[in-house]
Amino acid sequence: MAEAAADKGQEQEQRQAGPPGLLRDRFLIRSNQPLTELSTPTAEAFAAEDRRDSNRSLYALICKPELPPRVNVMRALRGLQSPGLQTLVEWGPMNWPPTGRQCMTVVYERPGGRKLVANNRPNEIRRIDEYDIGRKVVEPLVAAIRELTGRGITHRSIRPTNLFYMDGAGERIAFGDCVSAPPAFSQPMVFETIESGMAHPVARGSGTYSDDLYALGVTLVFLIFGRNPVAGLDDETILKMKIQQGTFTTLVGDERLPISMTEVLRGLLCDDGDQRWDIEALDLWQQGRRMTPLQPRVEKRAARGFPFQGKEYFNCRELAAAMTKNWEAAIPPVLEGKLELWLRRAVEDKERAQAVSDVVRMALGGTSDKKVVSDLMMCKILILLDPSAPIRYKGFSAMPDGFGSALAALMAQRSDTKLLVEMIMREVPKLWFEARNVYQPDNSLMEQNFRELRAYLSQTGTGFGLERCLYEMNDALPCQSPLMGEEYVVELKDLLPALNAAAAKRTESRQPPVDRHIAAFMGARARSDIDRNLLGLSDPDTGKSLMALLNLYAVFQYRLGPESLPNLAAWLGALAGPMMGCYHSREKRKELEKEIPRLVRKGSIVEIYQLLDDAEARGKDESEYVWGQAQYQAAEDEIKRILADEDERKVEADRVGKQTAAVTGILIALITITFVVIARVW
């Protein structure tokens, strides 16, 4: 007994001695106290403690660094008290000892009860009685969705394995985490609408509250039956069944439902998003009002199947999904007119057949790259076959607002991003937006964003390109620059302090404290347009490019602080040579060399910039340089003139000498002749 107690005490002591993480100087995260039952597919859970209130029961989720968390949702949910939601207490980056780097951390209030379904046993679901499901499940969860909708956000992680009993008595159920990964990333396909289920998990996008209501409907089916009604079926089969017979029939089939739940489940599981029940309809149902029953609307079945890749497809949605996965094989039958003929005769959809014919005719008449034309043609054809499906191109499917998380995941995994770049440069999303029948302001805004992304990709300079697109599409993504070291920087105000910390650990290098990621991060996060300033970073003149960088950092320090950045100032000061070389005066350069160390110790990038870019000093230096050049040129001209005059004098003297000699000779001759004549006369 004593030995057992001693061992237990020693074990507890070792557990308490583990290296904790500290969030916001307040919340201790115990790295040696994992809470497996509270972990999610994308974040590990650990015990947490509030240093100001040790009686508070908390836990923390450590997000995977390779996936962009939903920081905008974290901001909206922090401190929110709602019966159907776990309370998000705090969030932020934190140094996490097990990984040796900063990780996004989310602190929640710990549920008083257990999780409804364990992560490792998703098919073992405790059935909830039909008389309790309205009070215990529907009422609090609908209230939570209403709260989220009012804040302009979605949950996108509604499933039985993410539901908790918030009290020990099991009377209150609430949603679990929805912020540690991209929206719907961890959702099994069965909980996603047909359209969202077609998209790649990382590119499903935030969706709307209607997607949450659909997932709630699927969750209710699981809880009513006490099991997964489609267990054992793969995602492709489930999606195919949903398309062919509708979600309600796929999940419920011939099973007997409580009469009180049939109506609400038909409403929530309606595959037509325009007809699906909304919050108001649920409120009326909870109040006992009878609603108009919804009948499942399934895709029109063709009289005969379309043969493709050894199978036959009897409706357009199925065929479009198959062609998406077999892109190259789908092009020939479309160009040969087989699809148009099938739509005309088997589907009896002349309008759609004519639209397909027009697209094919334009593709065949194109004069540009045949491969590009064929790919864009297939993209348009798939939109015609299934207008409500995600944007699909060469086997990749994404919702318009899912491009950002997809790009972030690809770049974090160092995967090939060529396909996404190709989609943006060839304006594939534009084709999808143009096919919308109803005007939606959000679509117009996203279309404008894609045009801007295309412009950024067209520029190759520092601060643009793919890196700029990454941060423009992910407003909560931390800066991915390797120069940041272990720092986790989401907001621009944290950039310079992080660089200052990284500068203290850097090895001797002539590399400036900027790269493509940092420049793109600044461009995307700055509230004002700094693109013109970023262009200066690519100037071939080293002095000018460094001056442009110094200008940016000086502006950020002046506007955002802090007042002293000694390490970063030292880093920039070590590179000041080319910037001082902009001055012509050796005396001025010597003066700068003496003054910069003082400002470096002060940590003022603003004053370093003002010193190196003093307009008055530069003007004086330039005018003195011009005056010196003029003086030098004048002296050169004088020397040339003197040298030129000396040659001319020699020629003139020679000419005058010759003339003088000639005249003298003539005079002597005349005098001699005169004397001779006189002598003869006399």
Side-chain angles (χ1 to χ4, degrees), residues 511-559:
Q511 180 184 5
V514 70
D515 58 12
R516 293 187 64 88
H517 273 285
I518 291 176
F521 181 84
M522 291 190 294
R525 299 290 183 268
R527 293 184 178 179
S528 56
D529 185 4
I530 62 169
D531 286 356
R532 183 175 298 179
N533 304 71
L534 292 175
L535 290 173
L537 298 178
S538 300
D539 196 297
D541 186 321
T542 304
K544 291 181 180 179
S545 64
L546 288 172
M547 205 67 198
L549 175 63
L550 189 63
N551 177 21
L552 285 168
Y553 285 176
V555 170
F556 294 150
Q557 185 182 28
Y558 176 77
R559 292 180 179 176

Coordinates of all heavy atoms in Angstrom, one line a residue, residues 511-559:
Q511 N 22.2 38.3 -45.7 CA 20.9 38.3 -46.3 C 20.0 39.3 -45.6 O 20.0 39.5 -44.3 CB 20.2 36.9 -46.0 CG 18.8 36.8 -46.5 CD 18.2 35.5 -46.2 OE1 18.7 34.7 -45.5 NE2 16.9 35.3 -46.7
P512 N 19.3 40.1 -46.3 CA 18.5 41.2 -45.7 C 17.3 40.5 -45.0 O 16.9 39.4 -45.3 CB 18.0 42.0 -46.9 CG 18.1 41.1 -48.1 CD 19.3 40.2 -47.8
P513 N 16.7 41.2 -44.0 CA 15.6 40.6 -43.2 C 14.3 40.7 -43.9 O 13.3 41.2 -43.4 CB 15.6 41.5 -41.9 CG 16.1 42.8 -42.4 CD 17.1 42.5 -43.5
V514 N 14.2 40.1 -45.1 CA 13.0 40.1 -45.9 C 13.2 39.0 -47.0 O 14.3 38.7 -47.4 CB 12.7 41.4 -46.6 CG1 13.7 41.7 -47.7 CG2 11.3 41.5 -47.2
D515 N 12.0 38.3 -47.3 CA 12.0 37.4 -48.4 C 10.6 37.5 -49.1 O 9.9 38.4 -48.7 CB 12.3 35.9 -47.9 CG 11.3 35.5 -46.9 OD1 10.3 36.1 -46.6 OD2 11.6 34.4 -46.2
R516 N 10.4 36.6 -50.0 CA 9.1 36.7 -50.7 C 7.9 36.6 -49.8 O 6.9 37.2 -50.0 CB 9.1 35.7 -51.8 CG 10.1 35.9 -52.9 CD 9.9 34.9 -54.1 NE 8.6 35.2 -54.7 CZ 8.4 36.0 -55.7 NH1 9.4 36.8 -56.2 NH2 7.2 36.2 -56.3
H517 N 8.0 35.7 -48.8 CA 6.9 35.5 -47.9 C 6.6 36.8 -47.0 O 5.5 37.2 -46.9 CB 7.1 34.3 -47.0 CG 6.7 33.0 -47.6 ND1 5.3 32.6 -47.7 CD2 7.4 32.0 -48.2 CE1 5.2 31.5 -48.3 NE2 6.5 31.0 -48.6
I518 N 7.7 37.3 -46.5 CA 7.5 38.5 -45.6 C 7.0 39.7 -46.4 O 6.1 40.4 -46.0 CB 8.9 38.9 -44.9 CG1 9.2 37.8 -43.9 CG2 8.8 40.2 -44.3 CD1 10.6 38.1 -43.3
A519 N 7.5 39.9 -47.6 CA 7.0 41.0 -48.5 C 5.5 40.8 -48.8 O 4.8 41.7 -48.8 CB 7.9 41.1 -49.7
A520 N 5.2 39.5 -49.2 CA 3.8 39.3 -49.6 C 2.9 39.4 -48.3 O 1.7 39.9 -48.5 CB 3.7 37.9 -50.1
F521 N 3.3 39.0 -47.2 CA 2.6 39.2 -45.9 C 2.3 40.6 -45.7 O 1.2 41.0 -45.3 CB 3.3 38.5 -44.8 CG 2.7 38.6 -43.5 CD1 1.7 37.6 -43.1 CD2 3.0 39.6 -42.5 CE1 1.1 37.7 -41.9 CE2 2.3 39.6 -41.3 CZ 1.4 38.7 -41.0
M522 N 3.3 41.5 -45.8 CA 3.2 42.9 -45.6 C 2.1 43.5 -46.6 O 1.3 44.3 -46.2 CB 4.5 43.6 -45.7 CG 5.5 43.3 -44.6 SD 7.0 44.4 -44.7 CE 7.7 43.9 -46.2
G523 N 2.3 43.1 -47.8 CA 1.4 43.6 -48.8 C -0.1 43.3 -48.6 O -1.0 44.1 -48.8
A524 N -0.3 42.0 -48.1 CA -1.7 41.6 -47.9 C -2.3 42.1 -46.6 O -3.5 42.3 -46.4 CB -1.7 40.0 -47.8
R525 N -1.4 42.3 -45.5 CA -1.9 42.7 -44.2 C -2.0 44.2 -44.0 O -2.6 44.7 -43.1 CB -1.1 42.1 -43.1 CG -1.1 40.6 -43.1 CD -2.4 40.0 -42.7 NE -2.4 38.6 -42.6 CZ -2.7 37.8 -43.6 NH1 -3.1 38.3 -44.8 NH2 -2.6 36.5 -43.5
A526 N -1.2 45.0 -44.8 CA -1.2 46.5 -44.6 C -2.5 47.0 -45.0 O -3.2 46.7 -45.9 CB -0.1 47.1 -45.5
R527 N -3.0 48.0 -44.2 CA -4.3 48.6 -44.4 C -4.3 49.5 -45.6 O -5.3 49.8 -46.2 CB -4.7 49.3 -43.1 CG -5.0 48.4 -41.9 CD -5.6 49.2 -40.8 NE -5.9 48.3 -39.6 CZ -6.3 48.7 -38.5 NH1 -6.5 50.0 -38.3 NH2 -6.6 47.9 -37.5
S528 N -3.1 50.1 -45.9 CA -3.0 50.9 -47.0 C -2.3 50.2 -48.2 O -1.6 49.2 -47.9 CB -2.2 52.2 -46.7 OG -0.9 51.9 -46.1
D529 N -2.4 50.7 -49.4 CA -1.8 50.1 -50.5 C -0.3 50.4 -50.5 O 0.2 51.6 -50.6 CB -2.4 50.7 -51.8 CG -1.9 50.0 -53.1 OD1 -1.1 49.0 -52.9 OD2 -2.3 50.4 -54.2
I530 N 0.5 49.4 -50.4 CA 2.0 49.5 -50.3 C 2.7 48.9 -51.5 O 3.9 48.6 -51.5 CB 2.6 49.0 -49.0 CG1 2.4 47.5 -48.9 CG2 2.1 49.8 -47.8 CD1 3.2 46.9 -47.7
D531 N 1.9 48.5 -52.5 CA 2.4 47.8 -53.7 C 3.5 48.6 -54.4 O 4.5 48.0 -54.8 CB 1.3 47.5 -54.7 CG 0.4 46.4 -54.2 OD1 0.7 45.8 -53.1 OD2 -0.6 46.0 -54.9
R532 N 3.4 49.9 -54.4 CA 4.4 50.7 -55.1 C 5.7 50.6 -54.3 O 6.8 50.6 -54.8 CB 4.0 52.2 -55.2 CG 5.0 53.1 -55.9 CD 4.4 54.5 -56.0 NE 3.2 54.5 -56.9 CZ 2.5 55.6 -57.2 NH1 2.9 56.7 -56.7 NH2 1.5 55.5 -58.0
N533 N 5.6 50.6 -52.9 CA 6.8 50.4 -52.1 C 7.4 49.1 -52.3 O 8.6 48.9 -52.3 CB 6.4 50.7 -50.6 CG 5.8 52.0 -50.4 OD1 4.6 52.2 -50.8 ND2 6.5 52.9 -49.7
L534 N 6.6 48.0 -52.4 CA 7.1 46.7 -52.6 C 7.9 46.6 -53.9 O 8.8 45.8 -54.0 CB 5.9 45.7 -52.6 CG 5.2 45.5 -51.2 CD1 4.0 44.6 -51.4 CD2 6.1 45.0 -50.2
L535 N 7.5 47.3 -54.9 CA 8.2 47.2 -56.2 C 9.7 47.6 -56.0 O 10.5 47.1 -56.7 CB 7.5 48.1 -57.2 CG 6.2 47.7 -57.7 CD1 5.5 48.8 -58.6 CD2 6.3 46.4 -58.5
G536 N 9.9 48.5 -55.1 CA 11.3 48.9 -54.8 C 12.2 47.8 -54.3 O 13.4 47.9 -54.4
L537 N 11.6 46.8 -53.7 CA 12.4 45.7 -53.1 C 13.0 44.9 -54.2 O 14.0 44.2 -54.0 CB 11.5 44.8 -52.3 CG 10.8 45.4 -51.1 CD1 9.9 44.4 -50.4 CD2 11.8 45.9 -50.1
S538 N 12.5 45.0 -55.5 CA 13.1 44.2 -56.6 C 14.0 45.0 -57.4 O 14.4 44.6 -58.5 CB 11.9 43.6 -57.4 OG 11.1 42.8 -56.7
D539 N 14.3 46.2 -57.0 CA 15.3 47.1 -57.7 C 16.6 46.4 -57.8 O 17.2 45.9 -56.8 CB 15.4 48.5 -57.0 CG 16.0 49.5 -57.9 OD1 17.2 49.3 -58.3 OD2 15.3 50.5 -58.2
P540 N 17.2 46.4 -59.0 CA 18.5 45.7 -59.2 C 19.6 46.4 -58.4 O 20.6 45.8 -58.1 CB 18.8 45.8 -60.7 CG 17.8 46.9 -61.2 CD 16.6 46.9 -60.3
D541 N 19.4 47.7 -58.1 CA 20.4 48.5 -57.3 C 20.2 48.1 -55.9 O 19.2 48.3 -55.2 CB 20.2 50.0 -57.5 CG 21.3 50.8 -56.8 OD1 21.7 50.4 -55.7 OD2 21.7 51.8 -57.4
T542 N 21.2 47.4 -55.3 CA 21.1 46.9 -53.9 C 20.8 48.0 -52.9 O 20.0 47.9 -52.0 CB 22.5 46.2 -53.5 OG1 22.7 45.2 -54.4 CG2 22.3 45.6 -52.1
G543 N 21.5 49.2 -53.1 CA 21.2 50.3 -52.2 C 19.8 50.8 -52.2 O 19.2 51.0 -51.2
K544 N 19.2 50.8 -53.4 CA 17.8 51.3 -53.5 C 16.9 50.3 -53.0 O 15.9 50.6 -52.3 CB 17.5 51.6 -55.0 CG 18.3 52.8 -55.5 CD 17.9 53.1 -57.0 CE 18.6 54.3 -57.5 NZ 18.3 54.6 -58.9
S545 N 17.1 49.0 -53.2 CA 16.2 47.9 -52.7 C 16.2 47.9 -51.2 O 15.2 47.7 -50.5 CB 16.6 46.6 -53.3 OG 17.8 46.2 -52.9
L546 N 17.4 48.0 -50.6 CA 17.6 48.1 -49.1 C 16.9 49.3 -48.5 O 16.3 49.3 -47.5 CB 19.0 48.0 -48.7 CG 19.7 46.6 -48.9 CD1 21.2 46.8 -48.6 CD2 19.1 45.6 -48.0
M547 N 17.0 50.4 -49.3 CA 16.4 51.6 -48.8 C 14.8 51.5 -48.8 O 14.2 52.0 -47.9 CB 16.8 52.8 -49.7 CG 16.7 54.2 -49.1 SD 17.9 54.3 -47.7 CE 17.3 55.7 -46.8
A548 N 14.3 50.8 -49.8 CA 12.9 50.6 -49.9 C 12.4 49.7 -48.7 O 11.4 50.0 -48.1 CB 12.5 49.9 -51.2
L549 N 13.2 48.7 -48.3 CA 12.9 47.9 -47.2 C 13.0 48.7 -45.9 O 12.1 48.6 -45.0 CB 13.9 46.7 -47.1 CG 13.8 45.8 -45.9 CD1 12.4 45.1 -45.9 CD2 14.9 44.7 -45.9
L550 N 14.0 49.5 -45.8 CA 14.1 50.3 -44.6 C 13.0 51.3 -44.4 O 12.5 51.5 -43.3 CB 15.5 51.1 -44.6 CG 15.9 51.8 -43.4 CD1 16.1 50.9 -42.2 CD2 17.1 52.7 -43.6
N551 N 12.5 51.8 -45.5 CA 11.4 52.7 -45.5 C 10.1 52.0 -45.0 O 9.4 52.5 -44.2 CB 11.1 53.2 -47.0 CG 9.9 54.1 -47.1 OD1 9.4 54.6 -46.1 ND2 9.4 54.2 -48.3
L552 N 9.9 50.7 -45.5 CA 8.7 50.0 -45.1 C 8.8 49.7 -43.6 O 7.8 49.9 -42.8 CB 8.6 48.7 -45.8 CG 8.1 48.8 -47.3 CD1 8.4 47.4 -48.0 CD2 6.7 49.1 -47.3
Y553 N 9.9 49.2 -43.1 CA 10.0 48.8 -41.7 C 9.9 50.1 -40.8 O 9.4 50.0 -39.7 CB 11.3 48.1 -41.4 CG 11.3 46.7 -41.9 CD1 12.4 45.9 -41.9 CD2 10.1 46.1 -42.4 CE1 12.4 44.5 -42.3 CE2 10.1 44.8 -42.9 CZ 11.3 44.0 -42.8 OH 11.2 42.7 -43.2
A554 N 10.5 51.2 -41.3 CA 10.4 52.4 -40.5 C 8.9 52.9 -40.4 O 8.5 53.3 -39.3 CB 11.2 53.5 -41.2
V555 N 8.2 52.8 -41.4 CA 6.7 53.2 -41.4 C 6.0 52.3 -40.4 O 5.2 52.7 -39.6 CB 6.1 53.1 -42.8 CG1 4.6 53.2 -42.7 CG2 6.7 54.2 -43.7
F556 N 6.2 51.0 -40.5 CA 5.5 50.0 -39.6 C 5.9 50.3 -38.1 O 5.1 50.2 -37.2 CB 5.8 48.6 -40.0 CG 5.3 48.2 -41.3 CD1 5.9 47.2 -42.1 CD2 4.2 48.8 -41.8 CE1 5.4 46.9 -43.3 CE2 3.6 48.5 -43.1 CZ 4.3 47.5 -43.8
Q557 N 7.2 50.5 -37.9 CA 7.6 50.8 -36.5 C 6.9 52.1 -36.0 O 6.5 52.2 -34.8 CB 9.1 50.9 -36.4 CG 9.6 51.1 -34.9 CD 11.1 51.2 -34.8 OE1 11.7 51.7 -35.7 NE2 11.6 50.8 -33.6
Y558 N 6.9 53.1 -36.8 CA 6.3 54.4 -36.4 C 4.8 54.2 -36.2 O 4.3 54.8 -35.2 CB 6.5 55.4 -37.6 CG 5.8 56.7 -37.3 CD1 6.4 57.6 -36.4 CD2 4.6 57.1 -37.9 CE1 5.8 58.9 -36.2 CE2 4.0 58.3 -37.7 CZ 4.6 59.2 -36.8 OH 4.0 60.4 -36.6
R559 N 4.1 53.4 -37.0 CA 2.6 53.3 -36.8 C 2.2 52.2 -35.8 O 1.3 52.4 -35.1 CB 2.0 52.9 -38.2 CG 2.1 54.0 -39.2 CD 1.4 53.5 -40.5 NE 1.5 54.6 -41.6 CZ 1.1 54.4 -42.8 NH1 0.6 53.2 -43.2 NH2 1.1 55.4 -43.7

